Each structure stands twice: as C-alpha cells, then as structure tokens.
Amino acid sequence: MTDAFFSTAEEPAGKTSQTPAIGRPTEEELRQGIELLFFAYRDFTADPDSILEELGFGRAHHRVIHFLGRNPEITIGDLLVLLRITKQSLNRVLRALLAGGFVGQRTGTRDRRQRHLYLTESGAALEARLSMPQKDRVSKAFVEAGPNAVAGFKKVLAALLDPQERDRVLKAINRP
Amino acid sequence: MTDAFFSTAEEPAGKTSQTPAIGRPTEEELRQGIELLFFAYRDFTADPDSILEELGFGRAHHRVIHFLGRNPEITIGDLLVLLRITKQSLNRVLRALLAGGFVGQRTGTRDRRQRHLYLTESGAALEARLSMPQKDRVSKAFVEAGPNAVAGFKKVLAALLDPQERDRVLKAINRP
DNA sequence: CAAATAAGTCAATATGACTGACGCATTTTT
DNA sequence: AAAAATGCGTCAGTCATATTGACTTATTTG
C-alpha cells in the first residue's frame, strides 16, 4: 500500500485535479489546502514576534492580551476555557503581564472569589501595536484577493472548526 | 447548516459591513479574520495529536514526516530550510524517527557529505494515518463550503504568505 | 457547618525551539 | 597538494510554553 501517498501519478489520465462539482475533493487538492494553511499561518504568526521579544514576552502573552482586549472583565476561569490551557500555564504569563502593568484585575462584586481581568491603558496600547502587523497583513490579503474570495475564506475556515463548538466560537467571533 | 455566520446585520443601517469595493476592510472584518484563522488552525492541528502521543512524538515529528512524504530524498540541509528550524532542533526529532524505523537515510552519490532522507514503509503508513483526520476535516469543509468558497480560501491564504517567499512556497505546494 | 468552587502557588517534567562550539568527512577553491 | 568551505552530527546550556499533581486560601452554596 501507500507506496507514494503524494505521488504525482495518482489520477488516471483524462481526469484533472479540479474539485468535482459535487464529489469529494481530490487528494491533491486536500494536500494543497493543508500545506497552504500551514505556511500561511506560519507567516501570519511570525509578525508580532519581534515586538514581543523586546518586552521579554512570548506568544502566550500575546494570546492573553488579545483575548483580554476582546473580553474585558473576563474571569480567570473563563479565560482558561477560552485559551484551553491550564491554570498553572496561565499563571506565569498573567503574573508577568500584571507585574508589567499591562493587565489589571478587580475582585468580582457578585462573587468575590473571582478576578476580573482587563487591559490597562498600556496593555491596550500593546495590543494595538501587536495586532497592527497582523491586521496589515490580513488587510492587504483581503484587498488583493477581493470580497468574493474573502467570503469563501471565511466560509471554509468556519467549516474547519470543530462542529461541536462551531456555533459557540462563531458567536464569540462575530458578536458586535 | 449554520448559514449566515458572518451576517451583515450588525452594523447600523446605512453602513454595511461589506468590504468596500476598493477601500480597506473594516476593523471588525479584520479582527474576525484573524480570530477565525486562529481558531480554525487550532482545531485543525489538534487532530493528529492523539496519534502522535501514542508514539511519544510531537508536532515536530509530524512536520518532518509530512515534508519527507512530500519531498523524498530531500537532504538534511534542504529540510532545514523548508522547516525553518536549526540543525540541532531537527537532530533530536530526526534521531527519534530514525531509531523508530520511520525514516531512513542514504548517503548522497554525487556529494557523499549529504544524507538523503526518506520515509520507510512504516513511516509512510504513519504519515497516512496522521494526515487522515486532517484530510477528512479539510475535505468536509471543502464540500460544505463549495468550490467557489474553496477558491477564495486558497486565494486569501496565498495572499497571506510573505511576499518575498510567496512564489517559492506556492511553487512547492502546487507542483505536480 | 460542610462541601464545592475560584484562584494562587510550589514542584517536577516534557517538548521544541534556540545559540555556541567543536569534530569529521568530503568537496571546492586556491 | 594544501587550504578553505561545506554538510552533517553532537555536546552543552538556555528558554518558553505547556503539562500533572498537590496543597492553600478565600468565598459561596447546599
């Protein structure tokens, strides 16, 4: 079996590599999609790294900052669910951000065990600075590819999400 | 199926959230694109992890296996360029794969300093096993989103690549 | 009051990346 | 032919991010 998974000669002559109108995508097309996603995501994530390095932060800090920007007053527990990491992993990152004055926390009023996190002014400034190159890249890509392509891009990415959580995630992304 | 994810009803009448025909995409749209990419990629990469864990391997091993499947007889140096990691980083991973019998190497004939790497039979089997869930996910997404959306997906991802290397990468992905 | 929950922390471990340095075999250049 | 450059392997040390497990404290809930 599998003597050449990515072999060039896997399709009979006469057929092309195009997606059939209704059937399953070809092996070739799937592989291309997978690799494209890999490379595009790699370039996409490479953008903010140099800024983070200046501050001695890593991508974990970036993620926290991003989601805090999007979800002000989120509790630790909810942030853990969102990031899908452990409390201990978050802790180190969060401590650094608190110490650096990028993030603040307030004790919950309804439940005083909870800590509500938020970006400080400098935290928000950092968020803006970090997201700038990514927004720039995505913006250029959207403009270049055109609105129709962008719609397809979003549609496919949405379909790639875990079906179980798709609605939840899309709702979170798409809220006003 | 969850249609109208990216409903346009979120902006006040008069303004639409469509990308302006020629202008810059809106902040909202950019943020959505960024987050969608993040979540979709996260789900996408989660697939093979359980298989890898069985074998005591990580994503680094997966990447090596994938690119070895795609580039049989590649040399160490070329693989390093492709993966953009250091020789030392690759070494540990490669040693494990060689020891496990998933990868073999041959001394080059033209230049005997070079090692040409290839997947063994069990390596190819593992590659197939790892890529199966990803292909499945992408396949379902492509079918669900439809050919037009897939074309847009690819177009945007290609536009997200670093301009400097775009041609090189696309050529590598898209070759026969 | 007892139990459950939210959070913080200590400790140990794993993975995957990095830099720097050095050695060996081989090829290329001078 | 000698010198330099190249391809690869490896030792040693570091770093960032993640993990699990166990324990504490404060607080809420049954």
Side-chain angles (χ1 to χ4, degrees):
Chain A
M1 60 160 273
T2 4
D3 58 350
F5 215 88
F6 290 114
S7 139
T8 58
E10 65 188 70
E11 307 221 18
K15 274 198 175 179
T16 74
S17 265
Q18 301 299 324
T19 307
I22 294 196
R24 233 182 100 86
T26 64
E27 280 292 314
E28 242 334 88
E29 186 168 30
L30 293 176
R31 190 194 46 70
Q32 282 178 17
I34 287 168
E35 293 191 358
L36 203 46
L37 199 50
F38 172 79
F39 285 114
Y41 193 79
R42 184 178 67 174
D43 288 353
F44 167 74
T45 51
D47 279 335
D49 283 0
S50 57
I51 300 166
L52 291 163
E53 206 176 346
E54 275 178 40
L55 296 150
F57 291 158
R59 288 187 194 165
H61 302 81
H62 186 191
R63 285 199 289 277
V64 170
I65 285 176
H66 178 90
F67 285 108
L68 243 47
R70 269 293 280 164
N71 306 275
E73 300 303 321
I74 192 173
T75 64
I76 304 275
D78 288 346
L79 186 56
L80 289 177
V81 171
L82 199 60
L83 294 172
R84 281 199 208 151
I85 58 174
T86 60
K87 186 174 53 162
Q88 296 89 327
S89 292
L90 176 60
N91 191 257
R92 198 175 45 89
V93 170
L94 206 48
R95 248 189 301 191
L97 292 173
L98 285 162
F102 297 102
V103 171
Q105 57 181 354
R106 272 187 279 274
T107 299
T109 49
R110 211 197 53 201
D111 184 337
R112 297 198 309 173
R113 290 170 304 181
Q114 295 182 327
R115 301 294 132 84
H116 296 270
L117 303 168
Y118 58 91
L119 290 183
T120 62
E121 228 174 274
S122 59
L126 179 55
E127 194 282 325
R129 197 172 155 217
L130 287 169
S131 65
M132 199 165 47
Q134 288 192 322
K135 281 182 183 166
D136 194 53
R137 181 188 291 263
V138 174
S139 180
K140 281 182 177 139
F142 279 12
V143 169
E144 182 187 324
N148 183 42
V150 170
F153 170 76
K154 289 179 174 180
K155 202 169 175 185
V156 172
L157 287 184
L160 281 171
L161 295 172
D162 275 348
Q164 295 179 333
E165 307 191 36
R166 191 189 290 188
D167 285 2
R168 198 178 62 75
V169 170
L170 288 175
K171 211 172 153 190
I173 292 176
N174 230 53
R175 71 156 168 248
Chain B
M1 114 191 50
T2 14
D3 50 339
F5 291 148
F6 301 97
S7 93
T8 55
E10 64 190 55
E11 307 220 18
K15 275 193 179 179
T16 78
S17 84
Q18 300 298 331
T19 306
I22 295 198
R24 237 180 97 87
T26 64
E27 280 291 313
E28 247 328 91
E29 185 168 30
L30 294 177
R31 190 193 46 69
Q32 283 177 16
I34 287 169
E35 293 191 358
L36 204 44
L37 200 49
F38 172 79
F39 285 114
Y41 193 79
R42 184 179 66 174
D43 289 352
F44 167 74
T45 51
D47 279 336
D49 283 0
S50 56
I51 300 165
L52 290 162
E53 208 175 344
E54 275 178 39
L55 296 151
F57 292 158
R59 287 187 195 166
H61 302 81
H62 187 189
R63 286 199 287 277
V64 169
I65 285 177
H66 178 90
F67 285 109
L68 242 48
R70 266 294 278 166
N71 305 276
E73 299 302 321
I74 193 174
T75 64
I76 302 275
D78 287 347
L79 186 56
L80 289 177
V81 171
L82 198 60
L83 294 172
R84 278 200 211 152
I85 58 174
T86 59
K87 184 174 53 161
Q88 296 91 326
S89 293
L90 177 60
N91 191 255
R92 200 169 49 88
V93 171
L94 205 49
R95 247 189 303 190
L97 292 173
L98 285 161
F102 298 100
V103 171
Q105 57 182 351
R106 273 187 277 275
T107 299
T109 49
R110 211 198 52 202
D111 184 336
R112 298 196 309 173
R113 291 170 304 181
Q114 295 182 326
R115 301 291 133 85
H116 296 270
L117 302 167
Y118 59 92
L119 291 183
T120 61
E121 227 174 278
S122 61
L126 178 57
E127 194 283 324
R129 196 173 155 217
L130 288 169
S131 65
M132 199 165 46
Q134 288 194 322
K135 283 183 182 166
D136 194 54
R137 180 186 291 264
V138 173
S139 180
K140 280 181 177 139
F142 278 12
V143 169
E144 181 185 326
N148 183 42
V150 170
F153 170 77
K154 289 181 176 177
K155 202 169 174 184
V156 173
L157 286 185
L160 281 171
L161 295 171
D162 275 347
Q164 295 178 335
E165 308 189 34
R166 190 188 291 188
D167 286 0
R168 198 178 61 78
V169 170
L170 287 177
K171 212 172 152 189
I173 291 176
N174 239 56
R175 68 149 172 253

